[in-house]
Structures are given as C-alpha cells and as structure tokens.
C-alpha cells in the first residue's frame, strides 16, 4: 500500500528533520521526497506559500513544520496530557523555533559583509540567552522540557541541534550539560537511533 | 475574585492583540497589564526568554503568543473539530505569524539605511505572496480560512491587520476583498466589537 504521507523538503535536516523525527518515533510510513537546491525554484511557485517543508495528508498539501510536528505528536502522545501541559510544550517548541529562525536569518538571509557582526551577537548574546534558559527549564523538569517526561519539544530540540551546530560551526550545546543529556537521551530512543543510522547524509 | 489570567505586554496591539481577541471572544476575565517602552528594560531580565507578551496561568508564566492563542482557542471551540482540521488552522496561524515576523524584522530590527530597500521588497514581493494565497484560501473555504467556519486563524488575522497596516502605512488588505470581508466579519462579532470599542488607544 502506498504511504499515506508525502513529506517534501531539501536533502538536508534543517526544518524537515523535526518532522522526520516524529515520523521515525511513531514508526509512521511516509515518502521522504528530497529536492535539490537546483530543482527547487521550478517547484516553488506551486508549493504552499513558496516554502518547504510541506506534507501531503489526505491529498491536501500543508506547510509549517512546527504545526506538522504537533499533528503527529498528538497521535504519539507527545503533545501533552491536558491543555495546560500542551501549552507549555507548544510554547517551548515555538521558542526553539525562534532561536532557529534567528540563526537561520544570520546564515541564509544576511549579506556576507554583515555576517561577522551578526555572528558575534549570536555567539555572545542570543544563543546563550536562549540556551541558558532552556538549560534551567530542563534542569527544573527532571531532564525533560515539560513535567519530567518526553514530549515533542524534546524531539524538536534534538532534531535541530546538528543543523544549528553546523551553521554555527561548533556544538551549540557545549556548556549546557542538561541539554546535552536530553539530546543524547532522545537520540538513543531505538527508533530515533535507527533513523539517524539510516538517514541520507547531509551537512546541514 | 481575582482574574485567573494576567497578560503582560506593551501598550500596543502588536503580538498581544491576538491573545486579547481570544479572551474577548470568550468573555474571559483577565488582567491586561501594559508596560511602557521605558519600563520594559527593567523587567526584561526576569521575563521568560526576555520577550513579551507573556501570561500568568496557574501561577506559571508562559510566553509565545501563538501558543497562548491556541490554548484559549481550544477552550472556545476555535481550534478544530479533529486533528486534521487543527493542523490546517495551526498552519494558517503560523503562516500569518511568518508574515508578521517578516514585517516586524523590517520595522523593528533593520537599520534605517536598509529600510527603503526592504520596504520595496515587502510591498512588491513578500506581502503580495502571502496575501494572494490567503485570499485564495479564504475564497476556497467559503469566507473563512479553514472549512467554511470560524477558527482562531480568522481572529489571528483580524487582530494583526491594524498593526501591520500601521507599520506599512497603508491598509495591507487593499486589493484582497475576501480577506477584508473576513476581517470585517470577525471585528463585528459582538464581543470583539465591544473590545475594539473599549480597548486603550495605541498606534501599533
């Protein structure tokens, strides 16, 4: 039987990997369509909002990576046991997305001449501001982001770390032992580990 | 009895107004705390992630405006009748947030010398790219963003239009009759209308 889901993204981790982590964790069958940087301009006009990743579900094409993660997280019991827990998980994922967005702005949407100054602000201010608060949140919540148990916010961080570290050219979690331990825990979940071992190689 | 919720933001619409729309629509009692631009630096360090808006619920302080909107939307039956509908509503709100973020980057986080060029790209490319697709989505869904009925995505757009139009110094919905009609419909919901009539004045 054909897979129910078709995920389309570049052949990179980037914004696609958090969705792929959810699908791997849930052992959900899908078609992992990877578009080269050269092919993308031809497909862009017909894609929803001209952006990837997007996913086809029930014949409908949907964009927005965090929303797609949440959709699968609900099926996998990773989105909160009640509305208040869901809010805390959602807010955490959105804050991780904010950090990613800021680093992505620097890397993909800045002029070369502005990059050294922007990098300095990221390294000395922005990244420590986010990560020190994430570190405290995980420390206060018994090794996870919310209420001492696994949620999609944890997978969301783990799936973003390599991409962000590649862009910053150093492990962004150095100096944050609770975050490192959390990511290691997520990446050692057998189904996530199997995915990491079999996924296509990519730099970002 | 003291209100259960304390919302803290600047005395502007901006990122606070979508939450205030949800609270107004649901007739939910809350404390609408407004911080001046002068006071904010003193409070910033102790706030979650150094950003507003944030809300106190059950004694916990939570940030992230879209997540907070979704939390109330679920209570108000504005977040989807099933998970697939919820996904479409969430993705729409996130895409509106992307547009807002891009306009916000131009206005709040650009150097003056770069603004004319950035404004030109926004007016000629970015804003039409988003709004023409929103227009089609609303046209295809019988006057609402998703499945022909009111959702928090509709309130989310309506609550953002004045702020974005103020920044762009023109009504961003000119030329998009379906979006204009949708916003008018939302703003004429009696409880929203009452809120618009009584809220503090602000430029943004």
């Amino acid at each position: 039987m054909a897979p129910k889901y078709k995920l389309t993204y570049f052949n990179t981790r980037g914004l696609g990997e958090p969705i792929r982590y959810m699908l791997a964790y849930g052992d959900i069958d899908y078609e992992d369509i990877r578009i080269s940087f050269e092919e993308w301009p031809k497909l862009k006009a017909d894609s929803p909002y001209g952006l990837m990743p997007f996913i086809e579900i029930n014949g409908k094409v949907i964009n927005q990576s965090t929303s797609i993660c949440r959709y699968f997280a609900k099926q996998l019991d990773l989105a909160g046991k009640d509305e208040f827990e869901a809010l805390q998980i959602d807010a955490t994922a959105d804050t991780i997305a904010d950090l990613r967005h800021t680093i992505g702005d620097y890397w993909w949407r800045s002029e070369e001449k502005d990059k050294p100054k922007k990098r300095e602000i990221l390294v000395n201010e922005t990244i420590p501001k986010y990560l020190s608060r994430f570190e405290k949140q995980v420390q206060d919540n018994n090794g996870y982001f919310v209420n001492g148990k696994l949620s999609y916010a944890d997978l969301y961080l783990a799936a973003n770390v390599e991409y962000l570290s590649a862009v910053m050219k150093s492990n962004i979690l150095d100096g944050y032992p609770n975050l490192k331990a959390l990511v290691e825990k997520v990446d050692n979940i057998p189904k996530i580990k199997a995915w990491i071992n079999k996924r296509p190689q990519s730099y970002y």
Side-chain angles (χ1 to χ4, degrees), chain A residues 18-34:
Chain A
I19 304 171
R20 298 189 192 113
Y21 262 49
M22 302 299 152
L23 292 159
Y25 179 86
D27 218 356
I28 297 167
D29 190 28
Y30 70 108
E31 198 175 336
D32 187 20
I33 301 167
R34 290 168 181 250

Side-chain angles (χ1 to χ4, degrees), chain A residues 56-68:
Chain A
E56 198 183 308
I57 305 179
N58 304 336
K60 257 198 158 156
V61 176
I62 313 275
N63 67 325
Q64 289 298 345
S65 58
T66 314
S67 293
I68 297 167

Side-chain angles (χ1 to χ4, degrees), chain A residues 86-172:
Chain A
L87 168 60
Q88 294 171 76
I89 295 166
D90 286 357
T92 302
D94 272 353
T95 308
I96 298 167
D98 280 352
L99 171 62
R100 182 183 61 196
H101 194 96
T102 308
I103 294 177
D105 266 346
Y106 151 74
W107 188 249
W108 302 105
R109 291 177 289 276
S110 298
E111 295 187 40
E112 284 305 320
K113 66 171 175 52
D114 298 331
K115 282 194 173 175
K117 191 184 149 194
K118 289 200 173 181
R119 187 187 152 82
E120 209 182 296
I121 296 171
L122 278 177
V123 169
N124 296 324
E125 294 173 31
T126 318
I127 296 176
K129 182 189 79 176
Y130 280 97
L131 294 185
S132 61
R133 294 180 197 216
F134 288 149
E135 175 78 1
K136 187 176 181 315
Q137 188 178 339
V138 170
Q139 193 164 24
D140 291 349
N141 283 284
N142 211 9
Y144 296 92
F145 271 119
V146 177
N147 290 347
K149 63 180 182 193
L150 191 72
S151 74
Y152 86 87
D154 304 312
L155 274 71
Y156 199 86
L157 177 74
N160 269 298
V161 161
E162 283 171 299
Y163 160 52
L164 298 181
S165 295
V167 165
M168 296 308 299
K169 301 188 200 304
S170 73
N171 186 335
I172 60 162

